[in-house]
Amino acid sequence: RHIEGLPHRDDPALLGLTAGADRSLRTAEAHGVLTAVLSVEPKGDSHEATREEADLEQVRALRATLPTAPDPGAVRLAMKALGARPLHVALRQEIEQMRRLLTAGGGEAGG
């Protein structure tokens, strides 16, 4: 109950401040709060893309430059013709991994 009776704002003299110093302190605090609010607000107006929209557009542009995934049947035939040497086995595994990445990357990021 005693705490509820305390003032919401401290008297500047209590902290050894003049009225002008108190005003400057409160102005700086208000500026800090407003700056924080504005920093999380979406940038731009309704005609300008937000950061997220710009990022998504860049992802779509980069996706368009990706090569197509290799055909597993064609890879299998080519590897069979080369034989089963250890280096060829490693190459086949790398090609399969790249095919998985290219296939998985085609359906991500909203489009």
Side-chain angles (χ1 to χ4, degrees):
R1 292 182 190 203
H2 178 69
I3 292 175
E4 291 173 1
L6 292 174
H8 292 284
R9 192 173 145 210
D10 293 331
D11 184 23
L14 180 67
L15 301 172
L17 298 174
T18 63
D22 182 53
R23 188 174 314 129
S24 291
L25 175 67
R26 295 201 184 278
T27 301
E29 287 175 345
H31 179 67
V33 168
L34 290 174
T35 301
V37 168
L38 290 175
S39 72
V40 297
E41 195 173 85
K43 303 292 183 236
D45 57 13
S46 61
H47 304 301
E48 221 174 278
T50 64
R51 283 183 255 180
E52 291 82 8
E53 291 168 340
D55 290 345
L56 187 57
E57 186 59 36
Q58 188 173 12
V59 166
R60 287 181 179 141
L62 288 173
R63 185 184 298 147
T65 65
L66 288 176
T68 58
D71 177 37
V75 171
R76 193 176 313 114
L77 288 175
M79 288 291 117
K80 198 176 219 182
L82 287 174
R85 294 185 178 162
L87 187 59
H88 296 155
V89 172
L91 176 62
R92 188 186 78 233
Q93 291 170 346
E94 290 297 319
I95 292 172
E96 179 59 25
Q97 184 64 25
M98 181 60 72
R99 187 189 66 76
R100 285 185 193 140
L101 288 171
L102 291 171
T103 304
E108 299 293 324

